[in-house]
């Protein structure tokens, strides 16, 4: 599976089978089904010769242990990657991946629709390293060629974009980047490896926020970086140089979540689509931003490149004063208001893309909400949202 030359064309097994069996070695764990939580810093060597040769699988706990390794093996199998590095958070996956391919004097293009802390890392950290971070229109596709400079070394894609849900034409971007040796990185958290195969569509480095769908229960942090053969050594080395360590406790919860990822995603997909389609019909709703709905402007790209959709979508409401929004959100009893997403519980939070966009200003007025659809009874979710919308509209 790990041919350095490239990515295998077809996963030898179905994803459900990979999720159930990948990364597990019961024979090494006294027959127990699951790899337990390994906690440890020191790893012992049996002889001076073993210490000198450094051939043991584990040398020091910071670089990983069997619990963290199983997560890397599962995600590698899912992505059809050369290998995967587990790191302590989704944001750490983004920063390590970017630092693995950028040096002082380089330039990186980041989608204008990226997760806000990704942008902040560009403007407040990379800039201090003498690396220019520029932001591009998420709809540029092959037109990104005109944005390239001689020192552009990486393009960072997130599809669909956080909060605004634009789909990016990854194959077209990769077709421009590949011949020039420019690395294409993608934050693939929304679709998971199940519904978007980023390496096969042209990415070099795929990032997942394990905190979201992999964990699935809002109780652990993690991030993964999966790469093709050419990008692997730099990612591994950057993680090691920066000293990031992921605990066996977090890795255990990520592995536990991954075992049920396929059935959870199928259910999230179904529920999010039903709720999004229904919200579209409600009075006071301007637009629903869900790439799997035919009303979405990038639906053709979604249909071409994705095999399914996630739990998260946007709802644009007609404008109303802040008090109306407070009445709506403060009175919701099932949708919680909080950062992150991917758990079994539904969430609804307002977002303000106009505050951060630079390449393509967000000009739509109205209130933008971001919904994550969990596993509550659908009728209960609809009733909660409809009552909230009534409070919102009453105050207009
Ligand atoms: C949450 C999120 C991240 C960051 O993940 P953390 O584990 O919170 O650091 C990155 N990208 C996307 C798209 C996210 O939703």
């Amino acid at each position: 599976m790990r041919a350095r030359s490239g990515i295998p064309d077809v996963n030898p097994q179905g994803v459900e089978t990979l999720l159930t069996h990948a990364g597990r070695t019961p024979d090494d764990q006294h027959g127990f089904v699951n790899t337990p939580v390994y906690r440890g810093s020191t790893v012992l060597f049996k002889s001076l010769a073993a210490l000198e040769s450094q051939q043991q699988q584990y040398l020091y706990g910071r670089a990983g242990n069997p619990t963290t390794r199983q997560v890397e093996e599962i995600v590698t199998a899912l992505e059809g990657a050369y290998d995967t590095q587990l790191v302590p958070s989704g944001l750490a996956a983004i920063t390590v991946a970017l630092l693995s391919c950028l040096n002082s004097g380089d330039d990186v293009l980041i989608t204008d629709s990226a997760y806000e802390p990704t942008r902040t890392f560009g403007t407040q950290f990379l800039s201090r390293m003498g690396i220019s971070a520029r932001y591009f229109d998420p709809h540029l596709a092959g037109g990104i060629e005109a944005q390239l400079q001689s020192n552009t070394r990486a393009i960072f894609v997130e599809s669909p974009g956080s909060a605004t849900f634009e789909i990016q034409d990854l194959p077209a971007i990769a077709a421009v980047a590949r011949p020039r040796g420019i690395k294409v990185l993608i934050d693939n958290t929304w679709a998971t490896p199940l519904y978007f195969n980023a390496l096969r569509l042209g990415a070099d480095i795929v990032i997942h926020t394990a905190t979201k769908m992999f964990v699935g229960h809002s109780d652990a942090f993690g991030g993964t970086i999966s790469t093709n053969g050419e990008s692997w050594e730099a990612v591994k080395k950057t993680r090691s140089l920066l000293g990031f360590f992921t605990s066996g406790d977090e890795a255990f919860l990520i592995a536990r979540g991954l075992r049920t990822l396929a059935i959870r995603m199928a259910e999230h997909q179904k529920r999010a689509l039903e709720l999004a389609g229904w919200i579209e019909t409600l009075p006071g709703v301007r637009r629903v931003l869900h790439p799997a709905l035919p009303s979405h402007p990038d639906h053709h790209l979604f249909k071409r490149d994705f095999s399914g959709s996630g739990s998260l979508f946007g709802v644009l409401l007609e404008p109303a004063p802040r008090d109306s929004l407070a009445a709506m959100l403060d009175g919701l009893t099932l949708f919680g208001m909080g950062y992150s997403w991917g758990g079994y519980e539904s969430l609804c939070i307002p977002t303000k893309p106009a505050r951060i966009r630079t390449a393509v200003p967000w000009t739509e007025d109205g209130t933008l909400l971001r919904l994550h659809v969990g596993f509550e009874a659908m009728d209960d979710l609809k009733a909660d949202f409809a009552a909230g919308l009534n409070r919102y509209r009453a105050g207009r």
Side-chain angles (χ1 to χ4, degrees):
M1 195 145 210
R2 291 186 44 177
R4 189 168 267 274
S5 54
I7 309 302
D9 282 340
V10 189
N11 275 331
Q13 294 181 314
V15 285
E16 295 87 351
T17 307
L18 290 177
L19 283 167
T20 313
H21 287 275
R24 289 201 291 117
T25 52
D27 288 350
D28 299 341
Q29 319 296 343
H30 307 282
F32 283 97
V33 170
N34 294 297
T35 306
V37 175
Y38 277 78
R39 288 202 187 94
S41 50
T42 300
V43 181
L44 301 177
F45 297 86
K46 272 202 180 328
S47 65
L48 178 62
L51 177 70
E52 286 169 345
S53 74
Q54 299 277 297
Q55 290 305 304
Q56 285 182 195
Q57 183 170 7
Y58 301 105
L59 305 171
Y60 185 47
R62 192 170 61 222
N65 62 48
T67 324
T68 60
R69 188 61 194 152
Q70 67 166 341
V71 171
E72 294 171 344
E73 287 178 0
I74 299 167
V75 178
T76 297
L78 289 176
E79 287 288 1
Y82 176 75
D83 210 334
T84 297
Q85 176 71 60
L86 181 64
V87 291
S89 72
L91 185 56
I94 291 164
T95 60
V96 168
L98 281 168
L99 290 173
S100 79
C101 44
L102 294 169
N103 293 304
S104 179
D106 289 348
D107 172 64
V108 55
L109 284 165
I110 299 176
T111 176
D112 208 23
S113 57
Y115 176 66
E116 187 175 352
T118 305
R119 296 183 61 112
T120 312
F121 183 70
T123 46
Q124 295 184 21
F125 190 94
L126 292 179
S127 58
R128 278 171 40 209
M129 306 291 108
I131 298 164
S132 66
R134 293 179 298 131
Y135 298 88
F136 68 92
D137 177 351
H139 288 127
L140 268 188
I144 200 157
E145 186 170 356
Q147 302 293 315
L148 300 179
Q149 297 176 176
S150 57
N151 62 341
T152 304
R153 294 284 173 270
I155 300 175
F156 190 98
V157 169
E158 185 183 323
S159 183
S162 276
T164 46
F165 298 94
E166 298 92 338
I167 298 286
Q168 297 193 250
D169 192 337
L170 177 64
I173 291 171
V176 169
R178 268 275 156 93
R180 295 169 171 83
I182 297 170
K183 298 275 188 207
V184 178
L185 293 70
I186 181 165
D187 183 335
N188 197 20
T189 302
W190 184 82
T192 80
L194 304 191
Y195 295 157
F196 188 79
N197 198 318
L199 292 173
R200 217 155 288 150
L201 288 166
D204 298 284
I205 301 179
V206 188
I207 291 143
H208 287 284
T209 298
T211 316
K212 310 290 166 59
M213 303 315 312
F214 290 5
V215 167
H217 293 74
S218 308
D219 55 3
F221 267 99
T224 62
I225 311 164
S226 303
T227 77
N228 56 19
E230 303 83 69
S231 306
W232 173 246
E233 289 302 331
V235 165
K236 192 176 163 204
K237 188 160 182 203
T238 304
R239 197 287 311 162
S240 169
L241 289 171
L242 291 171
F244 281 127
F245 157 77
T246 311
S247 80
D249 297 81
E250 302 295 287
F252 184 90
L253 290 171
I254 298 167
R256 161 170 291 202
L258 281 166
R259 299 296 174 200
T260 58
L261 181 67
I263 55 175
R264 284 188 292 108
M265 282 305 289
E267 195 60 28
H268 280 298
Q269 161 168 245
K270 195 177 90 193
R271 291 158 161 275
L273 267 173
E274 179 176 343
L275 197 71
W278 174 77
I279 290 175
E280 243 183 348
T281 67
L282 299 179
V285 174
R286 280 227 163 127
R287 206 150 78 76
V288 173
L289 286 60
H290 189 314
L293 290 179
S295 58
H296 192 278
D298 306 328
H299 184 60
H300 60 291
L301 288 176
F302 173 81
K303 278 209 306 205
R304 189 191 69 187
D305 292 344
F306 290 69
S307 59
S309 57
S311 65
L312 199 71
F313 63 91
V315 175
L316 185 67
L317 304 177
E318 283 167 7
R322 187 194 163 279
D323 284 353
S324 307
L325 181 61
M328 174 178 188
L329 297 178
D330 295 353
L332 292 174
T333 58
L334 298 180
F335 286 94
M337 189 167 26
Y339 297 115
S340 199
W341 51 278
Y344 53 83
E345 82 291 3
S346 294
L347 298 168
C348 176
I349 194 165
T351 58
K352 293 192 169 143
R355 211 165 36 81
I356 57 168
R357 304 274 294 225
T358 50
V360 202
W362 180 261
T363 53
E364 296 197 59
D365 58 352
T367 302
L368 187 58
L369 302 174
R370 194 187 70 177
L371 271 64
H372 162 75
V373 184
F375 297 146
E376 299 89 345
M378 189 51 67
D379 286 346
D380 296 343
L381 287 179
K382 285 180 178 170
D384 196 30
F385 190 85
L389 191 57
N390 283 339
R391 291 190 295 276
Y392 181 85
R393 297 183 70 225
R396 279 195 302 148

